[in-house]
Amino acid sequence: MTWNATDIISLAAVVGAAVALINYTNRAFLWLHKASQQQEDLKAVKEEQRIMSIALSACLDGLLQLGANHNVPKAKQALDDYIRSQAHK
């Protein structure tokens, strides 16, 4: 079989389309993987914030028990209000 210019151009077009399709499929897969990873990271950050809120509340309770009365009761009340409002969402 002899190859003429039309055959070569057609073959190049098919190969180019196949490469483009593989490239777009790969990019879609990577985007989905990245989105999944971001969801996992967000869950970890939320858990860390939850633990830090509990720790901060415990620290403020300790300061109240030691008699710190300036801004500690206000901060404790604000934190409790925030935690309560987030729990109802």
Side-chain angles (χ1 to χ4, degrees), residues 7 39 46 49:
D7 293 336
Q39 289 295 326
K46 284 184 177 183
Q49 287 178 339

Side-chain angles (χ1 to χ4, degrees), residues 40-79:
E40 291 175 14
D41 291 346
L42 184 59
K43 286 179 185 178
V45 167
K46 284 184 177 183
E47 179 64 16
E48 183 178 332
Q49 287 178 339
R50 186 185 72 80
I51 291 170
M52 291 177 72
S53 295
I54 292 169
L56 179 58
S57 180
C59 290
L60 291 173
D61 280 339
L63 285 172
L64 283 173
Q65 292 172 8
L66 290 174
N69 289 324
H70 184 60
N71 286 329
V72 175
K74 294 176 190 173
K76 175 69 173 133
Q77 184 62 43
L79 179 62

Side-chain angles (χ1 to χ4, degrees), residues 7-27:
D7 293 336
I8 294 172
I9 291 172
S10 297
L11 180 63
V14 169
V15 170
V19 168
L21 182 63
I22 291 170
N23 187 26
Y24 288 129
T25 304
N26 187 39
R27 284 182 186 225

